[in-house]
Amino acid sequence: MPGSSAPRSDTDLVARVRDLQPLVRAHALRTEQRRRVTDEVAEALTGAGIYRMNVPRH
């Protein structure tokens, strides 16, 4: 997803998270081994606007 825009609705947020499932699963073992989220997953979460979900709209 281009940019780092906040999800427009809860439904949009859920759809974005579902779209990331294959990537998260593919990196699960490496994440467990390193005990931290991989850079690729962190970047995908940022790009999907997941971290912005707690930012007030106003």
Side-chain angles (χ1 to χ4, degrees):
M1 294 192 170
S4 177
S5 61
R8 294 181 183 205
S9 67
D10 292 343
T11 303
D12 186 32
L13 177 64
V14 171
R16 290 178 184 206
V17 171
R18 283 191 177 136
D19 289 344
L20 294 176
Q21 280 182 333
L23 176 70
V24 172
R25 286 186 175 139
H27 287 260
L29 179 59
R30 202 163 97 198
T31 296
E32 288 292 325
Q33 291 170 339
R34 295 173 64 197
R35 295 184 180 178
R36 62 176 291 182
V37 175
T38 63
D39 292 339
E40 295 86 356
V41 172
E43 289 172 13
L45 291 169
T46 300
I50 303 304
Y51 296 127
R52 294 185 51 121
M53 69 183 190
N54 292 324
V55 175
R57 292 182 187 187
H58 295 99

